[in-house]
Amino acid sequence: MKKWCIFIVLSLLVSCSARTASTQEEISMRQVGLTEPLTIAEDFFPKDMNIVALGDSLTEGVGDSTKSGGYLAYLEKKLLAHKAVKSVTVTNLGKRGSRISQLYEVINKNQDVLQQADIIMITIGGNDIMKVVRSHFFDLSYPLFEKEQKKFARKLEKLLATLRSINEEASIVLLGVYNPFGALQTIPEIEQVMQLWNEGSKEIIAQYENTLFVEVADLFAERDDVFYSDQFHPNDLGYQLMAERVYERLEAEETLDLWIRREQ
């Protein structure tokens, strides 16, 4: 009788040991199967975006029939459709007629706002070119524009340095100028002038990290349907095309991805 009891006890111990070993082996195999830790996509939790816009009438939105901010209103809608963007706050500091030298005062008065910006948008240069046209209408020449463009470039460099001293992380986006004069006979090289201005601005902004130059001149070339009734400012379609171009460049240059990673 005792022998049978001992045999039964031993059988139970062996069975339990086998089941325990089998269970441990299964757990071990399952653990080995977890080759990579679980990660959450950077854009899983949408974030708030803060945009501050500086510049001239293109920033103010002159020619926008809705009076909602020109290209910035269209850009805001496109950004809100991005899965990483929860909300967009736009502070529009644009003023009609502004030249680059007048932006320094605007920047100094709004340093607190600029410090909080994720993206700083700038449209400037058109009125600086117009000043040359009005001051030298009867003796305009390409060398004159070359001289003025160099002055503009130095001011732009100072402007960017000032913005960077206020906000080291914000993406700075500068929109180029376009030709609003059409076939103005007094400036036969007007297209070359616009190209000169844009290339010079592009070279300056490339000296700073996390900056972007957006070309828009081609959007207005040889078209009448993109201008407001004054034949100078964009109309609704013109602003919409500008916003689409800006958004395309933000994505192509991974500016939005940089913002997402910075906000983690």
Side-chain angles (χ1 to χ4, degrees), residues 58-263:
L58 299 186
T59 295
E60 184 179 335
V62 175
D64 174 12
S65 66
T66 66
K67 301 186 183 304
S68 56
Y71 82 94
L72 290 166
Y74 293 102
L75 179 61
E76 180 181 351
K77 291 180 181 179
K78 294 191 72 66
L79 288 169
L80 285 172
H82 194 289
K83 60 183 178 180
V85 180
K86 179 181 179 181
S87 68
V88 178
T89 299
V90 178
T91 302
N92 192 330
L93 302 176
K95 185 177 180 181
R96 184 173 190 165
S98 293
R99 298 190 302 274
I100 192 167
S101 58
Q102 296 169 312
L103 291 188
Y104 303 126
E105 183 178 358
V106 177
I107 291 172
N108 289 332
K109 288 183 177 179
N110 294 277
Q111 290 192 35
D112 292 344
V113 176
L114 288 164
Q115 286 175 353
Q116 303 302 317
D118 297 307
I119 300 178
I120 300 173
M121 308 289 304
I122 308 172
T123 63
I124 202 68
N127 293 306
D128 294 87
I129 296 174
M130 279 300 299
K131 183 182 178 182
V132 180
V133 174
R134 289 167 179 162
S135 301
H136 302 271
F137 191 79
F138 295 105
D139 61 343
L140 286 171
S141 65
Y142 188 78
L144 178 61
F145 282 103
E146 284 184 309
K147 179 181 178 181
E148 293 300 320
Q149 191 281 324
K150 290 178 181 178
K151 293 180 182 179
F152 178 86
R154 289 193 292 270
K155 293 176 182 178
L156 178 60
E157 188 171 9
K158 178 183 176 182
L159 183 77
L160 293 172
T162 302
L163 288 173
R164 269 290 168 254
S165 68
I166 296 172
N167 191 325
E168 297 180 355
E169 295 187 344
S171 300
I172 300 177
V173 181
L174 174 65
L175 278 69
V177 296
Y178 61 86
N179 176 18
F181 304 112
L184 191 59
Q185 297 301 315
T186 53
I187 318 177
E189 306 98 341
I190 188 62
E191 290 296 341
Q192 291 91 325
V193 169
M194 296 300 167
Q195 185 176 357
L196 170 72
W197 222 268
N198 284 329
E199 289 300 322
S201 298
K202 191 184 301 183
E203 290 178 6
I204 295 299
I205 202 167
Q207 298 174 15
Y208 294 83
E209 293 185 358
N210 194 16
T211 59
L212 181 63
F213 180 85
V214 179
E215 186 79 54
V216 298
D218 61 303
L219 301 177
F220 297 89
E222 300 180 1
R223 293 186 63 167
D224 296 324
D225 61 332
V226 292
F227 286 100
Y228 182 54
S229 58
D230 61 6
Q231 295 302 306
F232 189 89
H233 296 95
N235 59 15
D236 294 353
L237 176 59
Y239 281 124
Q240 182 178 349
L241 293 175
M242 288 173 64
E244 291 174 356
R245 175 63 58 81
V246 171
Y247 186 82
E248 288 171 2
R249 296 285 287 127
L250 289 175
E251 285 208 315
E253 297 300 320
E254 299 185 348
T255 304
L256 291 178
D257 290 340
L258 178 62
W259 169 74
I260 294 170
R261 292 193 296 270
R262 194 168 63 234
E263 292 296 306

